[in-house]
Amino acid sequence: MQIDDEYFDSKEFKEVLNSYEESIESGDTPFMDVDDLVDIADYYNYKGKAAKSREAIGLALELYPEAASPLIFKACEELRNGRIENAEELAGCVTDKETPDYKYLEAEILIAKNEIDKAEKFLHEYFMTVEPDDYDDFVLDIANIYIDYGINDKAYQWMTRAKNHHSSDYKELMARALFGMGKFSDSADIFNELIDENPYSKNYWNALASAQFMEEKFSDAITSSEYAIAIDPTDPDGLIAKANGLYRLGNYEEALKYYERYCDVVPDDEFGWLNTGTCLAYLDLYDKAIEALLKAEAAAQSSSPYRVQIYQELAFAYSAKKMPDKALEVLDKTKSIDCNHADIDVLKGHILLENGRLEEAEDIYKQAIIKSESNPEIVLRITVSLYDNKYIEAAYNMFKKLFEVTEDGFNQGYAYMARCCWDMKKADEFLYYLKIAVKRNPKEAENVLSNIFPKDIKPENYFDYMINKLNIK
């Protein structure tokens, strides 16, 4: 969740941006103020247009080689891409090391290196030199940096030093910090306050949608995103928020429309193509799904957190087209990625099983169990795979063994075991495992068992309903 400067939507900035883009398109060098070029680079970065951002900041450095702001901007970008040494080298080129922006960069380098104690010592010492009238600006700037690095508790601590708790800037950052701390309801409350003050801010509506989404209030999140889209029909955050809400409600056809609109606006974001492909696969449009997922793979950088998921979805799509060898080939691309390779083996086994290659599946399942040192969650996934592929009795026997070796706190798989017993017409065992499932993991019970109960029955009432239905006293 990110709140961004409304300046990007202002008439003033749009005039500067248009002038810049007209010069670039005509092949001319746009001679502009250095701060305007940095703002343009920041804007492109916000829009996910990394190449254009680099072009703008490169021009700023070319025209103003000794200016601090483009050097600091580029150094911060290097930090966010994990290139700390490059950032330190750029920081060393800044001549005026007394400006607040440079001090912030020094602190950010320490934070990026995970030297939080040093960063705090440096910031507290610098804070003592700040004029009282600048206290609030300082603490909000520091909180913003910590939030960018996901260190929300430190952000919250700094914000308690602010004097004015009623400004929009303070409320925005506090809402973001609370969001990062997992206090989604509190975050949503603040964004509702901000919307009351400024109902035409698409950023506030999108932020509210994010908080509602995390609370699993998907319909509310969709409604909030619709306000953002009404304000700006091409707003990428609004489009992706609505798409995500629709997706979580299982409305894949409508979600697809908004993922596609998002991809039109941000064509180089792998997340949009990944979810477009996933929706197409849910709609059994596997050729189109593969096409979208290949675009996701092409857009993904080596550091993308979505690479493994892209390969998994591609593998599912190829398997659905009865191309298991191609699916396994795609999954082999994960070998060089830092991920749970036992999980990948389970998926390979599932694909082999799905395509009738039982002996090969058994071998790779054994490999996954050994690789994971008999991790109960890996054994669970293998057992669920057996059930999904209609090996009901084999799944039943594996669940029996799994529950014998897991501790009392293990709360997964009981709904699947209940389902196995239901399919095998083992009524007594079905009730036994159903009772455990709805008590320990009602979410799993709903996902696995809901289609054998009326829609208006909640998971916590499944057991009593079935007792009454079977006339058991």
Side-chain angles (χ1 to χ4, degrees), residues 220-233:
D220 290 344
I222 290 168
T223 299
S224 296
S225 69
E226 286 171 343
Y227 281 102
I229 295 169
I231 295 165
D232 179 359

Side-chain angles (χ1 to χ4, degrees), residues 182-244:
K183 298 182 178 181
F184 305 120
S185 179
D186 292 336
S187 177
D189 287 344
I190 295 176
F191 282 121
N192 272 311
E193 284 183 33
L194 288 163
I195 287 168
D196 288 341
E197 296 168 10
N198 182 4
Y200 296 103
S201 169
K202 64 184 180 184
N203 294 327
Y204 293 163
W205 282 113
N206 284 327
L208 177 61
S210 295
Q212 291 166 331
F213 183 89
M214 295 305 294
E215 288 189 276
E216 299 190 358
K217 296 179 178 179
F218 303 123
S219 296
D220 290 344
I222 290 168
T223 299
S224 296
S225 69
E226 286 171 343
Y227 281 102
I229 295 169
I231 295 165
D232 179 359
T234 63
D235 176 55
D237 292 331
L239 294 171
I240 203 72
K242 183 166 183 179
N244 289 341

Side-chain angles (χ1 to χ4, degrees), residues 386-410:
L386 288 168
Y387 176 81
D388 287 344
N389 284 287
K390 310 303 181 188
Y391 291 88
I392 310 298
E393 189 168 351
Y396 169 84
N397 290 327
M398 278 197 71
F399 274 126
K400 280 275 192 183
K401 293 177 182 177
L402 175 63
F403 297 146
E404 286 173 3
V405 298
T406 53
E407 298 177 358
D408 290 341
F410 192 76

Side-chain angles (χ1 to χ4, degrees), residues 231-282:
I231 295 165
D232 179 359
T234 63
D235 176 55
D237 292 331
L239 294 171
I240 203 72
K242 183 166 183 179
N244 289 341
L246 290 164
Y247 179 90
R248 289 298 296 270
L249 289 177
N251 191 343
Y252 303 118
E253 195 167 347
E254 281 299 305
L256 175 62
K257 294 176 184 177
Y258 285 90
Y259 282 128
E260 288 176 333
R261 284 175 62 179
Y262 176 81
C263 289
D264 288 340
V265 177
V266 193
D268 54 354
D269 182 3
E270 70 271 24
F271 182 79
W273 291 114
L274 166 61
N275 286 283
T276 298
T278 304
C279 285
L280 288 164
Y282 273 121

Side-chain angles (χ1 to χ4, degrees), residues 325 328 348-349 352-353 357-365:
D325 291 327
L328 297 176
K348 286 181 177 180
L352 288 165
L353 205 59
R357 291 159 63 168
L358 178 58
E359 289 185 5
E360 291 173 85
E362 288 177 340
D363 287 342
I364 204 160
Y365 283 150

Side-chain angles (χ1 to χ4, degrees), residues 53 56 76 92 119 164 174 216 228 239 259 296 342 352 443 446:
S53 178
C76 290
N164 180 7
M174 180 56 78
E216 299 190 358
L239 294 171
Y259 282 128
L352 288 165
K443 192 72 175 177
E446 183 176 23

